[in-house]
Amino acid sequence: MRANDIRRCNNFSHTPCGQAFLTVFTLAGYFTAAASVGENLAWGQGRLANARVTMANWLRSPGHRQVLLAPEWRDVGIGSVKAPALFGRANVTVWVAQFGRRPALSVLP
């Protein structure tokens, strides 16, 4: 969802189209109780737009690496969207990686 919003609004941010950061996670069922979430964004064009380059760049960035390797994550979703033109560039791919941890469900006897 976030990648499509970035493309639709031409706004590369964790809050594209003025949407609150937590909206995507709330729609996915988080925050019915305590939860942790994180997100990495990237965009590239041409040969810099592939998954391997994107992951390598995230791993080289201390902040993105910290999010990627955080031990608390149980859930992950990775998506991409291609755009013929975005941010004044041609043939752009936007990447979004989202991470979460919902509280463990308790089982009633």
Side-chain angles (χ1 to χ4, degrees):
M1 289 190 312
R2 182 90 71 213
N4 280 325
D5 289 340
I6 290 169
R7 179 179 61 181
R8 182 171 50 86
C9 295
N10 197 31
N11 180 354
F12 185 73
S13 79
H14 295 281
T15 58
C17 309
Q19 182 183 80
F21 172 72
L22 295 178
T23 299
V24 172
F25 296 98
T26 302
L27 291 171
Y30 284 80
F31 303 112
T32 55
S36 298
V37 296
E39 179 176 78
N40 283 347
L41 304 177
W43 72 272
Q45 63 184 131
R47 60 190 163 109
L48 299 179
N50 69 55
R52 184 176 301 214
V53 171
T54 299
M55 185 60 71
N57 287 334
W58 280 337
L59 288 169
R60 278 194 291 274
S61 163
H64 292 98
R65 182 181 183 88
Q66 182 179 1
V67 172
L68 279 171
L69 302 179
E72 67 264 21
W73 306 138
R74 287 189 186 153
D75 307 320
V76 62
I78 299 176
S80 68
V81 65
K82 294 183 184 278
L86 196 62
F87 318 126
R89 309 286 178 129
N91 300 317
V92 172
T93 300
V94 175
W95 291 90
V96 177
Q98 295 177 320
F99 307 88
R101 180 184 182 119
R102 299 176 205 192
L105 298 174
S106 54
V107 178
L108 299 175

